[in-house]
Amino acid sequence: MEVYELRSLPWLFARLSCGCVLLSAAFVSIVTKTNHCVAVLSNWYILISDQNQALRLCLGTTATGAEYGAVSALSINHDCTRLLCGFAKGQITMWDLANGKLLRTMTDTHPPGTAILHVKFTDHPALAVCNDSGGSVFELSFRRVMGMRTCESRCLFSGSKGEVCCVEPLHAGPELKDHPITHYSLLAMASLTKILLIGLKPSLKVWMTFPYGKTDPASVPLLAWQFVAAQKTINPILAFCRGNTIHFLLVKKDESGTIHVIKQRQLQLNCDFISLSWINPRTLVLMVSTEKLRVVDRPSQEELETVDMAELQLVYNSSHFKSLALVGEKTCYQSVCSYAGQIMYLGTKSVHIMTLRNWRERVDHLLKQEKFMEALSLAWSFQEGTAKAVLGLFAEPAKRKGVVAEKMVEILLQYVDRSLKKCPEQGKIQVMEQHFQDMVPIMVDYCLLLQRTDLLFNQIYPRLVENSVARGVFLESLEPYILSERIGCLTAPVMRDLLSYFQENGMMDSVEGCLVHMDITNLDIQQVVQMCWDNQLYDAMVYVFNSGMNDYISPMEKLFQAIGPPLREGKPLTDEHVVMGNKLLVYISCCLAGRAYPLGDIPEDLVPQVKNQVFEFLIRLHSVEAAQEEEVYPYIRTLLHFDTREFLNVLALTFEDFKNDKQALEYQQRIVDILLKVMVDNSDFTPSQVGCLFTFLARQLAKPDNTLFVNRKLFDQVLEFLCSPDDDSRHTERQQVLLELLQVGGVVQFDEGHLLDLAEKAEFYQICEFMYDRKHLYDKIVDCYLKDPLRKEELFNYIHNILSMPGYSSEEKQLVWVKALQHIKVSQKRLHMLCPLEHTPGREKITEKHKLHEATAYLLEKKGDVQGAFEVLLQEETGDEVASLLQRVEEALHDIIALCQRSSHGLNQQQREVCVCVSEGSVSPDCVSLSSALKELTMKVLNSMSSFIAPPAIIQRILKDPVYGKGKLAEIQGLILGMLETFNYEQTLLETTTNLLNSDLHWSLSHLRKAVSRGLHPRQDHCNICLQQYKRRQESEEEIIIFSCGHLYHCQCLQRKEVGVLSERQYSWSCYKCTSNQGSRPVDRPSTESSRSHSASLAQVSQAVTIHNQCVQPNMKILAYFIHLNMILKNVLFSMDHNKNS
């Protein structure tokens, strides 16, 4: 129990054991107020203790109990001077708590013979209310006239209008005695059907009536008041419930003096409550019918803790609620009392008090159990202000965080000591490492959350250093925090230990990763640089130079010194040199873009300076330690030799940022001039490298805001290079570069005729299209598409656009159309694009004129003339060239077979045989020399027709064929055996499929039958709509419907809720409660869904009990599917048997 503390009151045990009262006595009522606690025993003794649990008074006698009956209700006024006692026979007595004197005995305040259920003082010293077992509520006004103590009674609510079970006046503490609401003496009353909120002062007034709605008739009505701060004001909130839903009403007074009662967000839990208490303005304590205590945070509606309280043996007040039979079994109004942040529970043998622990006690409670992680997590929630049920903390965030931070530091130091003590002294090193790996990250996390790196490095780390395993785990655990930049600075000792530990264990990658994320100003720069260079940690080396000394040139000099000599000597580069060169290119790109390497950004005030330094370094005429034979511009030469393309890409990205910077544009022109001087007419560079330069220049010149100046001859040189027909490398790239150059206006720099000739020679068909489009020669563009293998398939889209889109003259469209017909053999798909059926009359004549037999057959087939299409294809097959070209015959035969298969569904058996026979006859000429080849084609025809023609007809046709009729049986043996094997395979497949379907159908039917015939057990013994119990007698005439979810309904109740669909034979029902919880009513569903569920329903209506299995309905859809599939299968079997017999 981390949130609250539950303890027993020992003084009662002491009194029971010393014989002050009978040992057989049992508690029946309890009340607490400020420094007094009152408990009542069943033999009419009233025990009163002080705040030290010392017994002060013992009121009542056996004679009083015999006359008045048992004490049934108690109440203490706000200043703890008076005690009201209500009795089972209706009397009310008032006692003086100072001396134990009986002040008043009231016997006529309410109808006689009814027990007092509740008696409550209000904040007004002379006003109280009582509630009797008849359900009536009375106001009691106490006066003292002429030394005589009197009591006047006024009926506030009559039990004839509805029985009130619970009353609760609003009590305000001393600090809220001047609150504007307290002057009205508010009283909440809970009946079995509604809540009433009334004001007793200055005159009786009903402020609000709130009905419960549908609730369990056996649920207990509960009330509880609490003042809550909201929107900088404090106002009372009434919490009330009956069942599993708690409602909240806020009472406030506006500036005009009008009282408003506002409904707040309700709280719903899946349980039935028997006790409701506020323990502070944010926290509710609930007792459920199973005697489990649930602590709930109201703003977040989060359940904080649940504890079983069955051992308390809570006292119930059932005997006094005889007239309220529905709720009497669960009433415990007098057994639970709350005041000033504590709740008392009255058990049959003891009294228990529950108090919220303050924040320190909650943390210490976890520490005593050595739950350090839970304690740290709880303390951090206090620090952040997200904890629930908080007690004893400052409201100001600064003070709260300061106090909690001190406590967390204390916990962390205890946690470090415990981790060292609990470490196994012997055993495998892995066990010790795992022990610290589980604990050290927790220490680091909370030190960083508290922003106390001084605590981490100055107090925690020195303690862990004593254990070598803990030291290593601690240093390794720092790496992820450094990489995520949660730790940016280490103390000098920790930094030295970290680097030496990583170096000793060969974790140099970790060294580099950590260095580039830390402040290295407290390190020996030269030592770190040398370590990085020796271990190839180039990123770390660059970072140390940049961050430690603001030096951006030295890293480049060191890298150039490493990769320059092998490049100048023409030696192959090692993997290490390649890594260095790639990092150098990235580093230069970052510097020119204003970004730090390897991550972050260069300080804004240093960006211009760094860019100028890098440019000046790159365009240096010679290096610092240049030899006599060194060529000019060594750094640019080195980068070009290392990777020309990537270096030019770096420059291209850099030039993108040059807009209005005059100095940067000068550097840009200077770099371009140096590139031309270094690479043009230099045998050290391959044509591919020179080509990369020209491509780079062409892209720069193609920019609309280009400021580069290049000699006009360079344009011609670029054009000659890009259009070189002998260079096949990067053909698409060179064409794209030239196209970009032309599209931005570069075409004015060239002679168009010369450009077009070079483009045709280089097969730059997109360039040709661009030039032809400028001249409106759209028919020549058709040739460009035909010659371009990459865009050949796009030709018809282009032709379609020309012919259909506006903006083109009729002459241009006609030229394109004629050009298309001259060069294109139209296929079926292409013809469909060019000749839409609904817009091109006489299209067959066009295709016949150009002898496009496939297109003609396609058009005739679309028109519905299958016979005409068949004859056209036969005409193509029997043309003049067919006899000499067997390949042409095979292609034509393939088209004929495809036509027959597509059209077979619209032909009868006789028409199919005629078409196939004609096609077969067309490949059976008298030429004996071709008989062997044509036999193979005939076999192909016969195999194709086997799916559409009956086998006897095929065999009869083979025997009548002049080619096969005179031969031997062996020539057709392969065909006949193949047909028989196919038949056997299909027959086996059909039998296997039938057996599988029958087995699945039997299994599904058997399981569905078990599901339908299984009995259902209702969860409750009453209808979930009308909440009335159903009759168990067999002679009852009412119909009951039980669903598989366990809910039970009367048939008439479901009909009134319209949750059934009436069919020709029976109703198809759905559970009203389940569908309501899902957010939709069954009556709102579409009619199609209702009809489907109706058809699949298995509900059986009987006069005695109707059982409906809601979960079976989806299974019935599967059953219907199997039945339908079985019918289809029977039809298939019948048709196959029919074909077999034929």
Side-chain angles (χ1 to χ4, degrees):
M1 295 181 289
E2 176 251 312
V3 176
Y4 62 89
E5 180 183 10
L6 189 67
R7 65 182 188 276
S8 300
L9 296 182
W11 62 273
L12 287 173
F13 289 108
R15 293 304 171 185
L16 286 173
S17 61
C18 71
C20 237
V21 294
L22 296 177
L23 293 177
S24 61
F27 301 108
V28 296
S29 183
I30 190 167
V31 64
T32 181
K33 178 78 75 169
T34 311
N35 58 350
H36 289 78
C37 177
V38 181
V40 180
L41 303 178
S42 60
N43 52 1
W44 313 287
Y45 285 100
I46 303 173
L47 305 181
I48 301 175
S49 71
D50 58 15
Q51 60 186 358
N52 297 321
Q53 300 182 9
L55 185 62
R56 294 183 60 251
L57 294 172
C58 181
L59 307 177
T61 62
T62 305
T64 304
E67 180 181 358
Y68 296 161
V71 176
S72 58
L74 294 173
S75 178
I76 300 178
N77 64 352
H78 68 284
D79 58 359
C80 300
T81 59
R82 298 289 184 268
L83 170 67
L84 278 177
C85 301
F87 292 86
K89 293 183 179 182
Q91 292 83 356
I92 301 176
T93 61
M94 178 183 290
W95 301 80
D96 188 342
L97 292 180
N99 52 26
K101 181 180 179 182
L102 178 64
L103 300 179
R104 287 183 177 90
T105 299
M106 294 158 276
T107 59
D108 56 352
T109 56
H110 67 102
T114 55
I116 300 297
L117 300 184
H118 301 277
V119 59
K120 300 287 181 72
F121 274 110
T122 67
D123 283 349
H124 194 280
L127 191 63
V129 292
C130 69
N131 174 209
D132 62 16
S133 58
S136 299
V137 180
F138 296 87
E139 177 189 74
L140 305 178
S141 299
F142 306 114
R143 289 183 174 85
R144 187 169 182 176
V145 180
M146 305 279 300
M148 295 293 294
R149 301 178 188 272
T150 62
C151 175
E152 296 182 1
S153 173
R154 180 175 61 164
C155 182
L156 301 178
F157 187 87
S158 174
S160 61
K161 299 180 180 180
E163 297 175 329
V164 171
C165 309
C166 180
V167 295
E168 191 66 40
L170 174 63
H171 293 288
E175 69 279 1
L176 295 171
K177 63 180 181 178
D178 296 328
H179 194 280
I181 299 295
T182 60
H183 304 302
Y184 294 94
S185 295
L186 295 186
L187 175 66
M189 300 184 294
S191 70
L192 295 178
T193 58
K194 59 187 175 182
I195 293 292
L196 291 92
L197 184 60
I198 66 174
L200 303 179
K201 298 291 184 179
S203 61
L204 184 64
K205 181 180 179 180
V206 178
W207 281 12
M208 187 176 188
T209 301
F210 190 93
Y212 297 119
K214 297 179 180 179
T215 58
D216 187 351
S219 299
V220 180
L222 302 172
L223 297 169
W225 284 100
Q226 179 66 41
F227 279 87
V228 176
Q231 299 179 353
K232 298 182 180 180
T233 60
I234 299 178
N235 290 298
I237 286 183
L238 174 65
F240 64 92
C241 71
R242 188 185 183 198
N244 60 359
T245 303
I246 304 175
H247 304 271
F248 299 94
L249 295 179
L250 173 66
V251 183
K252 60 182 297 186
K253 187 175 183 180
D254 60 15
E255 297 177 355
S256 63
T258 305
I259 302 297
H260 299 278
V261 181
I262 305 170
K263 185 179 179 181
Q264 304 292 299
R265 184 177 63 163
Q266 65 185 25
L267 172 63
Q268 186 168 5
L269 300 173
N270 295 324
C271 52
D272 187 20
F273 304 119
I274 61 173
S275 172
L276 170 65
S277 305
W278 294 87
I279 200 166
N280 64 25
R282 294 177 56 95
T283 310
L284 286 167
V285 179
L286 309 169
M287 178 79 76
V288 301
S289 57
T290 57
E291 295 192 359
K292 289 185 178 180
L293 205 64
R294 305 177 73 169
V295 183
V296 181
D297 181 71
R298 188 188 74 87
S300 64
Q301 298 193 355
E302 178 183 349
E303 188 170 338
L304 305 181
E305 202 160 358
T306 301
V307 177
D308 192 351
M309 304 285 285
E311 295 182 357
L312 268 65
Q313 298 180 8
L314 193 68
V315 173
Y316 291 92
N317 311 119
S318 305
S319 60
H320 308 309
F321 284 79
K322 293 180 180 179
S323 61
L324 306 177
L326 291 177
V327 299
E329 297 180 358
K330 299 181 180 179
T331 55
C332 56
Y333 293 120
Q334 306 302 326
S335 304
V336 181
C337 180
S338 63
Y339 183 78
Q342 63 182 8
I343 304 176
M344 300 188 72
Y345 294 94
L346 180 64
T348 58
K349 296 183 179 180
S350 62
V351 177
H352 301 266
I353 182 169
M354 171 188 168
T355 57
L356 273 182
R357 302 180 191 270
N358 63 39
W359 72 275
R360 287 185 181 274
E361 292 174 345
R362 291 172 64 180
V363 174
D364 292 339
H365 177 71
L366 294 174
L367 291 177
K368 289 179 181 178
Q369 304 176 48
E370 294 191 346
K371 296 181 179 180
F372 287 90
M373 289 185 289
E374 290 83 352
L376 286 169
S377 177
L378 178 61
W380 179 249
S381 66
F382 292 141
Q383 173 88 356
E384 291 295 292
T386 59
K388 308 295 188 300
V390 182
L391 192 65
L393 263 182
F394 294 103
E396 297 181 14
K399 292 183 178 180
R400 181 188 73 238
K401 291 183 177 181
V403 172
V404 177
E406 293 178 0
K407 184 64 177 179
M408 291 188 69
V409 171
E410 177 185 341
I411 299 172
L412 284 171
L413 295 177
Q414 293 180 21
Y415 188 49
V416 174
D417 295 338
R418 176 183 177 275
S419 65
L420 292 172
K421 293 178 181 179
K422 295 292 183 178
C423 177
E425 298 180 357
Q426 297 178 353
K428 295 183 179 180
I429 189 67
Q430 292 83 358
V431 177
M432 301 176 65
E433 289 179 347
Q434 185 62 45
H435 170 75
F436 288 108
Q437 287 172 359
D438 294 336
M439 295 186 171
V440 170
I442 297 174
M443 307 173 193
V444 179
D445 277 327
Y446 282 103
C447 286
L448 295 180
L449 289 174
L450 293 172
Q451 299 180 359
R452 291 290 305 274
T453 54
D454 60 323
L455 172 67
L456 181 64
F457 298 133
N458 298 333
Q459 297 187 48
I460 294 179
Y461 179 64
R463 298 189 184 191
L464 295 177
V465 169
E466 300 174 1
N467 188 303
S468 59
V469 177
R471 173 180 175 273
V473 171
F474 179 85
L475 295 174
E476 289 183 9
S477 66
L478 294 179
E479 181 182 358
Y481 298 97
I482 296 173
L483 297 180
S484 60
E485 297 185 351
R486 295 183 62 187
I487 296 179
C489 182
L490 303 179
T491 59
V494 176
M495 189 68 179
R496 287 193 299 269
D497 291 350
L498 179 70
L499 295 180
S500 61
Y501 176 81
F502 282 167
Q503 197 168 7
E504 291 170 1
N505 292 273
M507 303 169 63
M508 301 312 300
D509 292 339
S510 299
V511 171
E512 184 173 35
C514 292
L515 281 175
V516 299
H517 288 84
M518 290 191 306
D519 181 8
I520 45 85
T521 54
N522 57 353
L523 296 178
D524 186 343
I525 300 298
Q526 296 299 330
Q527 180 182 358
V528 174
V529 168
Q530 189 61 41
M531 180 192 68
C532 294
W533 184 261
D534 294 340
N535 294 277
Q536 303 176 11
L537 307 180
Y538 305 117
D539 290 350
M541 181 197 70
V542 172
Y543 177 80
V544 171
F545 271 116
N546 296 164
S547 300
M549 298 183 291
N550 284 336
D551 185 356
Y552 292 84
I553 302 303
S554 297
M556 290 191 292
E557 290 179 342
K558 294 182 72 68
L559 293 174
F560 273 117
Q561 291 174 2
I563 66 172
L567 287 173
R568 287 193 296 269
E569 297 171 4
K571 296 180 179 180
L573 296 177
T574 63
D575 294 339
E576 180 183 349
H577 288 146
V578 172
V579 171
M580 296 171 64
N582 290 329
K583 290 184 180 294
L584 178 60
L585 286 173
V586 177
Y587 175 64
I588 294 173
S589 176
C590 290
C591 291
L592 295 178
R595 296 189 302 273
Y597 181 85
L599 49 88
D601 295 310
I602 299 174
E604 293 184 3
D605 57 333
L606 295 179
V607 171
Q609 177 184 349
V610 171
K611 288 185 177 180
N612 294 338
Q613 289 179 357
V614 172
F615 272 124
E616 291 292 341
F617 176 79
L618 292 177
I619 63 177
R620 284 181 183 177
L621 198 61
H622 290 285
S623 60
V624 177
E625 300 177 356
Q628 294 182 354
E629 64 275 8
E630 182 184 70
E631 297 181 294
V632 294
Y633 308 115
Y635 300 127
I636 289 183
R637 287 180 183 273
T638 300
L639 294 174
L640 289 172
H641 281 296
F642 175 73
D643 195 329
T644 306
R645 179 181 299 277
E646 293 304 324
F647 176 55
L648 294 176
N649 287 339
V650 170
L651 294 179
L653 292 174
T654 305
F655 292 168
E656 291 290 338
D657 298 332
F658 293 169
K659 301 296 182 183
N660 300 320
D661 190 345
K662 183 177 179 181
Q663 185 176 7
L665 294 176
E666 292 178 357
Y667 280 125
Q668 179 182 2
Q669 183 67 49
R670 178 66 174 154
I671 290 287
V672 170
D673 293 340
I674 293 174
L675 290 174
L676 293 173
K677 183 176 181 180
V678 169
M679 297 190 68
V680 176
D681 299 331
N682 191 334
S683 59
D684 292 342
F685 296 96
T686 64
S688 177
Q689 291 175 312
V690 178
C692 290
L693 172 63
F694 285 128
T695 302
F696 163 75
L697 292 177
R699 291 184 183 276
Q700 297 302 316
L701 295 174
K703 292 180 180 179
D705 55 350
N706 171 54
T707 58
L708 285 176
F709 173 77
V710 181
N711 194 331
R712 176 61 183 271
K713 294 182 180 180
L714 182 61
F715 279 93
D716 297 333
Q717 191 172 355
V718 170
L719 181 62
E720 292 290 342
F721 171 77
L722 294 177
C723 296
S724 174
D726 299 330
D727 187 4
D728 294 334
S729 62
R730 295 186 291 277
H731 178 275
T732 303
E733 181 182 357
R734 290 186 289 114
Q735 180 178 210
Q736 187 63 31
V737 169
L738 183 56
L739 183 62
E740 291 178 4
L741 182 60
L742 297 178
Q743 288 174 343
V744 297
V747 67
V748 299
Q749 305 291 339
F750 305 105
D751 178 74
E752 294 188 6
H754 182 59
L755 173 62
L756 194 56
D757 292 339
L758 291 177
E760 290 178 350
K761 292 179 182 179
E763 298 181 352
F764 286 177
Y765 298 114
Q766 294 185 40
I767 305 299
C768 296
E769 178 186 356
F770 178 83
M771 300 303 298
Y772 289 140
D773 187 77
R774 286 172 54 87
K775 298 179 180 181
H776 303 286
L777 300 177
Y778 303 110
D779 54 328
K780 293 188 177 182
I781 296 179
V782 175
D783 294 327
C784 296
Y785 276 95
L786 286 172
K787 295 177 181 178
D788 191 347
L790 299 178
R791 300 194 304 155
K792 193 172 184 179
E793 296 296 330
E794 301 176 11
L795 170 61
F796 294 96
N797 290 329
Y798 173 76
I799 296 175
H800 177 73
N801 293 336
I802 294 293
L803 298 179
S804 60
M805 294 178 63
Y808 301 98
S809 64
S810 57
E811 295 180 357
E812 294 170 346
K813 292 183 179 181
Q814 183 64 26
L815 290 174
V816 171
W817 174 254
V818 172
K819 192 74 171 182
L821 292 179
Q822 290 177 356
H823 292 278
I824 304 173
K825 179 180 179 180
V826 184
S827 65
Q828 296 176 4
K829 181 179 178 181
R830 295 166 180 170
L831 183 71
H832 179 70
M833 296 174 60
L834 294 177
C835 303
L837 299 178
E838 63 272 21
H839 299 299
T840 312
R843 55 201 177 276
E844 297 89 349
K845 295 182 179 180
I846 299 176
T847 55
E848 290 176 359
K849 178 180 179 182
H850 295 278
K851 297 181 180 182
L852 303 176
H853 300 296
E854 293 181 8
T856 304
Y858 171 76
L859 294 173
L860 291 174
E861 182 184 356
K862 285 292 183 181
K863 192 176 180 181
D865 188 1
V866 179
Q867 185 66 29
F870 189 78
E871 293 176 356
V872 169
L873 292 177
L874 286 178
Q875 180 183 358
E876 179 185 7
E877 178 187 346
T878 57
D880 297 337
E881 301 180 359
V882 173
S884 58
L885 299 175
L886 290 176
Q887 184 177 0
R888 178 80 177 274
V889 172
E890 185 175 0
E891 293 176 357
L893 189 60
H894 179 271
D895 294 337
I896 294 173
I897 292 173
L899 173 64
C900 293
Q901 291 177 342
R902 288 196 305 270
S903 306
S904 61
H905 66 276
L907 303 176
N908 55 35
Q909 187 70 18
Q910 185 178 0
Q911 290 174 331
R912 293 178 187 176
E913 294 179 5
V914 170
C915 290
V916 175
C917 292
V918 173
S919 62
E920 184 186 359
S922 64
V923 295
S924 302
D926 296 334
C927 181
V928 180
S929 60
L930 298 175
S931 60
S932 60
L934 295 179
K935 282 180 181 179
E936 297 180 1
L937 298 180
T938 304
M939 296 284 286
K940 183 177 181 181
V941 173
L942 294 175
N943 285 328
S944 300
M945 74 171 68
S946 60
S947 300
F948 303 93
I949 307 299
I954 298 176
I955 296 176
Q956 186 178 5
R957 179 60 189 169
I958 293 173
L959 297 176
K960 291 181 179 180
D961 189 274
V963 177
Y964 298 102
K966 299 177 183 181
K968 298 179 180 179
L969 182 62
E971 296 180 356
I972 61 174
Q973 181 181 3
L975 176 61
I976 296 176
L977 292 177
M979 294 171 58
L980 294 176
E981 290 178 359
T982 302
F983 173 78
N984 291 332
Y985 169 74
E986 292 180 351
Q987 185 180 32
T988 304
L989 182 62
L990 181 61
E991 292 175 354
T992 304
T993 305
T994 304
N995 293 334
L996 289 175
L997 288 176
N998 289 336
S999 176
D1000 290 344
L1001 183 61
H1002 176 269
W1003 181 88
S1004 301
L1005 287 173
S1006 63
H1007 279 261
L1008 288 176
R1009 182 178 178 275
K1010 291 180 182 178
V1012 172
S1013 59
R1014 185 175 63 249
L1016 299 177
H1017 178 70
R1019 293 182 181 178
Q1020 298 158 329
D1021 58 353
H1022 60 266
C1023 173
N1024 282 273
I1025 294 180
C1026 68
L1027 303 178
Q1028 298 297 322
Q1029 292 184 344
Y1030 70 91
K1031 300 178 181 179
R1032 299 178 180 271
R1033 299 189 304 272
Q1034 294 295 330
E1035 63 271 12
S1036 174
E1037 296 295 332
E1038 61 183 2
E1039 294 184 0
I1040 303 300
I1041 296 179
I1042 304 174
F1043 290 86
S1044 60
C1045 55
H1047 294 134
L1048 180 145
Y1049 304 92
H1050 292 109
C1051 181
Q1052 295 179 356
C1053 295
L1054 282 180
Q1055 289 177 350
R1056 287 197 300 269
K1057 293 298 181 180
E1058 298 180 355
V1059 292
V1061 179
L1062 181 62
S1063 65
E1064 296 178 358
R1065 299 180 181 180
Q1066 61 184 10
Y1067 265 93
S1068 175
W1069 301 102
S1070 58
C1071 179
Y1072 172 75
K1073 192 168 184 178
C1074 293
T1075 54
S1076 298
N1077 292 337
Q1078 293 172 0
S1080 62
R1081 295 285 302 275
V1083 71
D1084 299 331
R1085 296 178 182 173
S1087 59
T1088 56
E1089 182 179 350
S1090 299
S1091 62
R1092 287 198 302 270
S1093 62
H1094 146 67
S1095 61
S1097 175
L1098 290 180
Q1100 298 177 359
V1101 181
S1102 64
Q1103 193 66 18
V1105 179
T1106 301
I1107 298 178
H1108 175 70
N1109 193 336
Q1110 188 180 23
C1111 299
V1112 168
Q1113 289 196 12
N1115 296 335
M1116 288 306 301
K1117 297 182 180 180
I1118 302 176
L1119 174 61
Y1121 165 75
F1122 275 116
I1123 293 174
H1124 180 64
L1125 187 61
N1126 190 29
M1127 294 175 62
I1128 296 175
L1129 181 61
K1130 290 180 178 179
N1131 293 333
V1132 173
L1133 290 172
F1134 176 77
S1135 59
M1136 294 193 67
D1137 290 341
H1138 177 71
N1139 293 336
K1140 178 179 178 182
N1141 296 333
S1142 62

